[in-house]
Amino acid sequence: MSSSSKPTNLRAQSGPYFGEFGGRFVPESLIAALDQLTETYEHAKTDPSFISELAELHRTYTGRPSLITEVKRFAEAAGNNVRIFLKREDLNHTGSHKINNVIGQALITKRMGKTRVIAETGAGQHGVATATAAALFGFDCVVYMGEVDTKRQALNVARMKLLGAEVIPVTSGSATLKDAINEALRDWVANVDTTHYLLGTVAGPHPFPTMVRDFHSVIGIEARAQMLEEFGFLPDVVTACIGGGSNAIGLFHAFLDDQDVRIVGFEAAGDGMDTPRNAATLNFGKPGVLHGAKSYVLQDEDGQTIESHSISAGLDYPGVGPEHAWLKDIGRAEYRGISDAEAMDALRLLSRTEGIIPAIETAHALAGALKLAKELPSGSTILINLSGRGDKDMETAARYFDLLDGGANA
Amino acid sequence: MPSKTAAALEANAEAGHGSLIGYFPAGYPTVEASIEACVAMCENGLDVLEVGVPYSDPVMDGPVIQAATVEALANGFKLRQTFDVVRAITERVSTPVLVMSYWNPIVQYGVERFASHLAAAGGAGIITPDLIPDEGAEWIAAAEKHDLDRVFLAAPTSTQERVNNAAEKSRGFVYAVSTMGITGAREELDELARKVVGSVRQAPTRQNTAVGIGISTGDQVAEVNGYADGAIVGSAFVKAYQSGGIDALSAKVAELASSLDTRNN
Ligand SMILES: Cc1ncc(COP(=O)(O)O)c(C=O)c1O
């Protein structure tokens, strides 16, 4: 689609479909729960008491609004006179954007009169955020986590347990995030009367992609206003990393109808875009159905899901939210891949130049911005969603850079 | 043509006994072995066969069937072999053979192409556990064109309106989900099953309905057939096969079938 005929009013899309993507490809047993959720959410989102309760929790608990930080030394390293701005979701309580969605859905859970929440988690960030909200709201909480991930994110497992959640390692299938989602869906089918499935990204059946996006859209709404207020312009490019796509759509959504703002998402390319070991679903996947929605899926010709690969557990997912699939197909957003090595270099660079240690997920967006800086006209401005902090990744980073046991300096 | 599946269920109902519907995964443990297992099931009193298509992300399945289908995939099962399995079975027995498949494999194969190849292989239709009729327009059209059964599900939480729609859009029967869980043998069949069957009976479109999920004993099969048009058994058959191969599977099918009626005596 040429830029002159780009559709306008992209922000108005609210599911169940985004173009041909989205929908509800789930067992009939879940439809009543999805209908109840849709109805509760539709009512809540325009209810002044819900809106003010959510805003109050964000102000007093999450720590919103989050800052915008201009990173001059990092930008200097990027070169070409670019200016780079970070939307600091890492400063939120629990250390990432995930809390925005979790607090919203916890309020919805309360409205539905449910007392138990379940969640899937990859990196553990969404599990920690869910366990946190469960503690705050007094819900029972069970988190499904692929056995492989419980090992690479052991510290987050401990955090969830300390917060009172039960963590169930998932051994079925490939024992990673996708299988944790399958297990959570099975739990939900069996316990739907008491239980809300607090899905952690903009994937899954309607209304999740729309509802989770709406809860994260505060990122972009704040950032857009902050850019105008503090700097007097909108950025030339907005970027974010893409796992399921929640932090990205949270930032992008406010800018969808700003025709002059370019939108670029960065997927995990794992060993590299020229290798099959990646998690770059929008680059290498095909349209299909996974976890209840039609979107791009990493799959073989028989429709069997292919295991994804990334150093970052939070991006290691063979699916992606349907709204991103649609934004790609209509040409409003671009999606590119960043390898493990590129991401880790960017992680170290931001740490060294700015004193901010980002999550490895987030480092993919930082690496992407470094590449973009070289292609853009001199003096361009880039806004990056700094989706999370790197504390949870210290073990991986320490091993990657050989920092432990008297190891060399990175 | 009228549905062969519906005809089998209705003939049994008229004769005063119910029906036994059995599931077995294609390609488990190998393509050849699954054909032999399915034929043996049909020869031992099964009224309708469900051939499962192994899929990487089977959210409706319990641990027994999950493990079996993972093994089938690990042993190299390919989607197109579904048709080889169906053809080999229908060449040897006259039992109606339905395919049970999650939706993505069918989407990737091409809905119309899958329907056409299934019909050519002698298959009777498809059970779609993660496709609700609301999303099923393309499949319903392809099924019409190729004269295939389409089995949609009704759950204990389904509204009467949704059950009415499932009854209208299904052909063959409506799959009544008996518990709010996943497949896997349960000790006691939920009373919820009666409620779902009752809703299907109330639908304006007259439709057969069979109860599945959690059935493993002859008593359960008999009990379910007291109010429904058939009992669907999956995990218990796969377990029987695991415990003693074709012989144990055949014995289990015969045992459950004999609980129904006096046909075999
Ligand atoms: C810090 C951080 N960023 C990004 C992601 C990726 O998820 P999404 O694409 O939904 O934002 C995760 C997931 O765990 C995360 O922890």
Side-chain angles (χ1 to χ4, degrees):
Chain A
M1 186 171 294
S2 75
S3 59
S4 59
S5 66
K6 265 179 192 158
T8 53
N9 206 10
L10 301 179
R11 296 189 67 199
Q13 300 292 320
S14 61
Y17 299 98
F18 300 90
E20 63 165 308
F21 302 107
R24 299 196 299 181
F25 295 86
V26 293
E28 174 69 21
S29 313
L30 285 178
I31 294 297
L34 293 174
D35 281 344
Q36 179 194 24
L37 182 60
T38 305
E39 203 176 297
T40 307
Y41 175 62
E42 285 301 316
H43 188 256
K45 75 180 186 188
T46 54
D47 177 349
S49 76
F50 179 85
I51 294 167
S52 67
E53 201 176 351
L54 181 59
E56 187 60 11
L57 277 167
H58 278 332
R59 193 178 68 79
T60 61
Y61 191 75
T62 309
R64 304 211 71 90
S66 66
L67 304 176
I68 293 258
T69 303
E70 178 168 9
V71 283
K72 294 188 175 158
R73 279 170 42 77
F74 183 77
E76 203 177 301
N80 206 13
N81 295 317
V82 295
R83 293 180 70 184
I84 297 180
F85 306 85
L86 306 181
K87 178 60 174 165
R88 300 291 305 278
E89 294 298 299
D90 61 319
L91 298 178
N92 293 339
H93 181 44
T94 72
S96 80
H97 69 290
K98 298 279 181 191
I99 193 84
N100 302 323
N101 167 45
V102 163
I103 294 287
Q105 286 199 49
L107 283 173
I108 294 288
T109 305
K110 197 172 80 174
R111 284 202 158 207
M112 292 188 296
K114 295 186 175 181
T115 55
R116 179 174 176 264
V117 290
I118 55 174
E120 84 295 343
T121 199
Q125 287 306 90
H126 175 60
V128 166
T130 303
T132 300
L136 179 67
F137 283 77
F139 300 142
D140 292 331
C141 179
V142 171
V143 178
Y144 291 94
M145 189 168 187
E147 194 175 43
V148 173
D149 294 331
T150 60
K151 289 183 182 139
R152 50 180 173 181
Q153 304 285 340
L155 218 50
N156 267 343
V157 174
R159 283 169 85 192
M160 288 183 265
K161 288 181 177 169
L162 190 61
L163 289 160
E166 183 186 351
V167 179
I168 301 185
V170 174
T171 54
S172 59
S174 56
T176 59
L177 180 57
K178 84 173 177 68
D179 307 285
I181 295 176
N182 293 337
E183 224 34 65
L185 285 168
R186 291 184 188 112
D187 180 318
W188 202 24
V189 171
N191 300 296
V192 72
D193 290 349
T194 59
T195 299
H196 174 59
Y197 178 15
L198 215 159
L199 188 71
T201 189
V202 286
H206 182 72
F208 286 108
T210 301
M211 179 178 69
V212 176
R213 175 202 71 196
D214 289 352
F215 286 141
H216 281 304
S217 64
V218 65
I219 302 170
I221 292 168
E222 282 178 10
R224 193 175 181 283
Q226 286 165 318
M227 288 302 299
L228 289 172
E229 214 167 279
E230 296 173 30
F231 303 98
F233 54 83
L234 291 181
D236 297 315
V237 187
V238 294
T239 72
C241 65
I242 309 271
S246 70
N247 88 88
I249 204 74
L251 178 66
F252 297 169
H253 194 250
F255 296 93
L256 286 182
D257 294 323
D258 292 317
Q259 305 268 347
D260 296 335
V261 177
R262 192 170 152 193
I263 298 176
V264 187
F266 291 99
E267 301 191 298
D271 289 355
M273 292 295 271
D274 50 354
T275 78
R277 288 176 55 85
N278 65 69
T281 308
L282 288 162
N283 281 280
F284 295 117
K286 279 180 303 179
V289 171
L290 177 67
H291 295 142
K294 186 167 182 208
S295 186
Y296 280 72
V297 180
L298 288 177
Q299 56 185 322
D300 70 12
E301 60 173 10
D302 283 356
Q304 311 290 353
T305 311
I306 293 175
E307 270 180 57
S308 53
H309 291 279
S310 169
I311 191 169
S312 138
L315 304 185
D316 201 350
Y317 179 56
V320 67
E323 192 166 4
H324 288 293
W326 172 68
L327 290 173
K328 171 192 157 80
D329 276 15
I330 63 170
R332 179 61 186 101
E334 303 154 57
Y335 298 90
R336 305 195 189 177
I338 292 293
S339 70
D340 290 351
E342 291 169 322
M344 293 309 285
D345 282 350
L347 181 145
R348 184 172 52 187
L349 182 65
L350 188 74
S351 304
R352 295 273 169 98
T353 55
E354 302 289 344
I356 299 171
I357 302 177
I360 298 177
E361 289 78 15
T362 314
H364 288 71
L366 294 161
L370 293 173
K371 284 188 159 175
L372 277 174
K374 309 256 181 302
E375 304 165 12
L376 294 167
S378 172
S380 295
T381 55
I382 304 173
L383 172 63
I384 305 171
N385 194 1
L386 202 80
S387 58
R389 62 179 178 235
D391 306 34
K392 71 181 174 61
D393 294 315
M394 281 320 300
E395 206 185 307
T396 307
R399 239 182 295 118
Y400 187 88
F401 293 118
D402 191 22
L403 306 175
L404 296 173
D405 300 329
N409 290 320
Chain B
M1 269 206 319
S3 158
K4 207 177 149 191
T5 309
L9 299 180
E10 285 158 21
N12 285 342
E14 247 160 62
H17 54 68
S19 292
L20 178 64
I21 302 170
Y23 168 97
F24 202 84
Y28 176 70
T30 64
V31 168
E32 285 311 313
S34 67
I35 292 167
E36 293 308 318
C38 288
V39 168
M41 289 170 80
C42 296
E43 286 173 344
N44 280 279
L46 203 67
D47 298 297
V48 175
L49 175 70
E50 287 179 16
V51 171
V53 174
Y55 174 53
S56 54
D57 294 272
V59 292
M60 273 291 277
D61 289 315
V64 174
I65 291 175
Q66 274 182 56
T69 52
V70 163
E71 191 176 329
L73 290 172
N75 290 342
F77 178 81
K78 288 284 168 207
L79 183 59
R80 62 184 150 70
Q81 293 177 305
T82 306
F83 308 111
D84 302 337
V85 171
V86 170
R87 186 176 296 104
I89 298 165
T90 55
E91 277 170 5
R92 287 165 62 182
V93 293
S94 59
T95 314
V97 178
L98 297 166
V99 161
M100 178 148 180
S101 178
Y102 290 90
W103 193 233
N104 196 44
I106 295 176
V107 170
Q108 298 312 316
Y109 198 83
V111 176
E112 157 68 26
R113 182 166 165 246
F114 194 97
S116 134
H117 289 189
L118 180 62
I126 312 180
I127 302 170
T128 50
D130 62 347
L131 183 73
I132 55 176
D134 325 36
E135 304 277 6
E138 189 183 1
W139 158 229
I140 290 168
E144 290 283 347
K145 183 172 163 200
H146 296 284
D147 195 29
L148 292 170
D149 292 330
R150 36 184 197 264
V151 176
F152 291 108
L153 279 62
T157 49
S158 303
T159 59
Q160 184 64 47
E161 193 186 344
R162 291 195 61 81
V163 175
N164 293 350
N165 191 39
E168 187 194 327
K169 301 287 162 51
S170 292
R171 197 188 90 169
F173 63 93
V174 171
Y175 191 128
V177 176
S178 61
T179 67
M180 286 307 287
I182 49 178
T183 65
R186 302 289 151 90
E187 293 295 297
E188 269 180 43
L189 252 191
D190 229 314
E191 276 305 300
L192 292 172
R194 287 179 191 272
K195 176 179 165 255
V196 184
V197 170
S199 302
V200 178
R201 299 287 190 228
Q202 275 176 42
T205 313
R206 203 227 160 268
Q207 191 58 265
N208 301 305
T209 179
V211 174
I213 300 190
I215 302 177
S216 61
T217 69
D219 286 349
Q220 289 172 331
V221 169
E223 186 193 332
V224 160
N225 274 288
Y227 56 89
D229 305 305
I232 305 169
V233 178
S235 297
F237 287 151
V238 175
K239 255 191 210 161
Y241 183 83
Q242 288 165 345
S243 74
I246 296 249
D247 289 347
L249 174 64
S250 301
K252 184 72 184 176
V253 175
E255 177 207 326
L256 297 194
S258 72
S259 72
L260 272 185
D261 55 29
T262 53
R263 274 176 302 177
N264 302 324
N265 306 349

